[in-house]
Amino acid sequence: MCSCNSKTAIQGHADSLDQILVNQVGYFPNSNKVALLRIKTEAFNVVDTATGKVVFTGKPSQLEYWELSGDSVATADFSELTTPGTYRICLNDNSICSQAFSINNSVYTNIAKASLKALYLNRSGMEITKEFGGEWAHAAGHPDTMVLVHASAATKKRPEGYKLSSPGGWYDAGDYNKYIVNSGISTYTLLLFCQMYPEYTKSLNANIPESGNAIPDVLDELLYNLRWMLTMQDPNDGGVYHKLTNLAFGGFEMPDKATEPRFVVLKSTAASLDFAATMAMASRVLAKSDVPEIVELGKECLDKAQKAYAWAKANPSIYYKNPSDVSTGAYDDSNIKDEFFWATSELALATNDFSTLSDKDLNDQAKVVQSWGSVSMLGTLSLAISENSDYKVEAQKVLVDFANQLVEKSTGSPYRVSLDIFNWGSNSDVANMGVIKMVAYQITSDKKYLNSAQTDIDYLLGRNATGYCFVTGFGGKQVMNIHHRPSGADGVAAPYPGFLSGGPNIVVLTDCPDVTRSTFPAKSFVDQECSYSTNEIAINWNAPLFFLLGAMDSMKK
Ligand code: 9MR
Ligand code: 9MR
């Protein structure tokens, strides 16, 4: 018989670990705690891993079938257990046990820091030193000081082949390219965090090279990307290049070995609007800094936001499409009504002039969770939490209505998650839903939103149909083979830590030719490097992950 505190016994039962799904990092003592059981049983035990003693016994709910995972689960609620410690959930005379998890007040501190630090590890054009990168230290690559203007972006003043400097910024994802559309939402999400949690932001030390200077680490980290974004605007007309990229995706080599030429490609309306929105938001957040240089930078951001917005108004339908000789990520979007709304809202807030907005603009927007291509919620969010805006009340109503729908979905779902469509990057949708709930919680102080955000954390950290904890370096069942060039090329077994894997979906079932994936979307995931559609990492996935974990960590007692 297995006793749950014995490591060998658990290893001997590795097959059964997935029978009980838990948040493998842990729970606050006072939070809701719900595990999922895939087995019909009358009772479940919570066992202390240190003593092997049963500390709580509960009765699970009925099994419920989920059409998205193709299996049935019951909930096991052990919220009443509040004693700090490390535990497993066990069944059948403790012969079947879950992964271990902790209950204590600091469960999210390290993982929140790691999820921010991951962005540092993805900085382009900078050596990652041993001091800050540990075993993931590497030489600088992609200086991007001699970037070529691509034919699609040629102008009189900057003709094809013209060389410009656009250094810094984060690599987008597992590839080494830098894309404005995706940078916008990622940077904005961190700016929003700084705005909403100023005290926690000040206190967080992520151990990055700038730690200890007069600027909070969250802000330092996002500034590394924001300063790059500023270089992507053509000062001659205000338009913003869609991306800085190689012509094609390169192989799995370290950054300094990847030396193919780099190009800035087509100025697009979406990139210019996302840039305008992000810079306008930045101007408000940076204005609150007590470092004069940062306040100055904020003014520059507003000026550049206005120029990019004017360019977009004058060029309202330049939709990005890859030119025939460019095959890297497109971030193409032909519905940019939401980008216009977001940029208009942010500029209204930054200039305190709301004459460009109307209730109709607000209500006409699609109520969908934010992503790189659907940004209406970002405008709504900014208006809803602004100190004074003509649209605050209306925006709060839209946001809280949407959060209510999400909460309803998660309480009604067998897996207790609001997600009911699995897109590429499905895990980021879960994280972004958590962000919406955190904002609704701040607006209303109603605990139901916080409890629902907890279920999103639980899902990402193991209580999902794959049984993986989706943040690298954390949990008992870890993702090891992310589609991330440095992780694949560095010869270190462990992947770069703190990254959120994209997560299950059935968009591309053939990315690993030798793998047959589940056709159930919630289970269709493989921890192999080839699976770029389920196991890549990306800055726009880590930003909401950090937001959600940091927000939760900020509420520790
Ligand atoms: O590595 C690329 C990844 O960053 C992208 O998200 C993905 C989808 O655009 O494409 C990956 O590159 C693959 C390419 O599309 C097809 N051939 C295999 C490449 C991965 O090694
Ligand atoms: O996140 C993007 C997803 O929504 C798209 O469906 C997919 C295919 O176009 O591209 C994803 O973004 C990738 C980008 O194109 C290149 N860098 C890696 C990104 C994450 O996979």
Side-chain angles (χ1 to χ4, degrees), residues 424-442:
W424 186 313
S426 59
N427 283 341
S428 71
D429 288 334
V430 175
N432 275 313
M433 288 170 174
V435 170
I436 297 280
K437 294 168 191 176
M438 285 297 188
V439 177
Y441 176 57
Q442 191 171 83

Side-chain angles (χ1 to χ4, degrees), residues 31 95 136 155 185 197 203 209 228 261 305 333 339 369 529 532:
S31 74
S95 63
W136 299 283
T155 55
I185 182 171
Y197 308 100
S203 71
W228 164 69
D333 185 358
E339 281 76 6
V369 68
E529 185 182 282
Y532 55 79

Side-chain angles (χ1 to χ4, degrees), residues 195-394:
Q195 184 188 334
M196 283 181 61
Y197 308 100
E199 290 311 314
Y200 179 82
T201 295
K202 274 188 200 144
S203 71
L204 184 119
N205 182 335
N207 189 31
I208 55 175
E210 297 81 3
S211 295
N213 71 6
I215 302 167
D217 286 4
V218 187
L219 192 51
D220 269 322
E221 192 51 53
L222 77 86
L223 285 175
Y224 191 78
N225 198 57
L226 184 132
R227 289 196 164 101
W228 164 69
M229 288 182 74
L230 288 172
T231 69
M232 287 291 279
Q233 182 172 45
D234 182 348
N236 300 304
D237 61 10
V240 179
Y241 302 109
H242 196 75
K243 60 177 173 176
L244 190 166
T245 182
N246 298 120
L247 292 180
F249 288 120
F252 272 60
E253 47 197 3
M254 294 305 285
D256 60 314
K257 300 288 182 299
T259 54
E260 293 295 303
R262 309 269 275 176
F263 295 83
V264 288
V265 188
L266 190 73
K267 288 171 201 160
S268 71
T269 311
S272 300
L273 289 170
D274 288 350
F275 174 102
T278 306
M279 293 305 161
M281 171 63 160
S283 74
R284 291 193 292 137
V285 173
L286 302 191
K288 297 216 169 92
S289 172
D290 25 63
V291 179
E293 178 207 332
I294 297 300
V295 176
E296 274 314 299
L297 181 64
K299 292 182 191 153
E300 182 188 333
C301 288
L302 181 55
D303 177 54
K304 294 194 163 159
Q306 285 168 318
K307 290 188 172 130
Y309 187 72
W311 186 91
K313 282 281 204 192
N315 301 273
S317 50
I318 303 189
Y319 304 115
Y320 186 80
K321 257 186 73 131
N322 266 339
S324 58
D325 60 337
V326 178
S327 58
T328 53
Y331 289 115
D332 50 337
D333 185 358
S334 52
N335 178 353
I336 55 173
K337 187 171 136 189
D338 50 326
E339 281 76 6
F340 268 108
F341 169 70
W342 182 30
T344 306
S345 304
E346 295 296 348
L347 277 160
L349 285 161
T351 56
N352 213 11
D353 172 3
F354 294 90
S355 59
T356 47
L357 272 176
S358 72
D359 276 339
K360 187 168 176 299
D361 292 335
L362 194 63
N363 285 300
D364 273 0
Q365 296 298 318
K367 315 285 186 296
V368 288
V369 68
Q370 65 272 24
S371 67
W372 65 262
S374 299
V375 293
S376 57
M377 256 322 142
L378 303 182
T380 304
L381 238 158
S382 283
L383 291 167
I385 61 162
S386 59
E387 281 146 29
N388 49 357
S389 103
D390 296 2
Y391 294 91
K392 185 172 175 140
V393 173
E394 194 58 27

Side-chain angles (χ1 to χ4, degrees), residues 172-177 179 248-252 327-331 424 483-485 508 511 529-533 536-537 541:
D172 184 57
D175 61 323
Y176 290 138
N177 305 298
Y179 309 83
F249 288 120
F252 272 60
S327 58
T328 53
Y331 289 115
W424 186 313
H483 187 89
H484 179 236
R485 281 163 175 73
V508 179
D511 49 8
E529 185 182 282
C530 45
S531 191
Y532 55 79
S533 70
E536 189 163 355
I537 59 88
W541 304 343

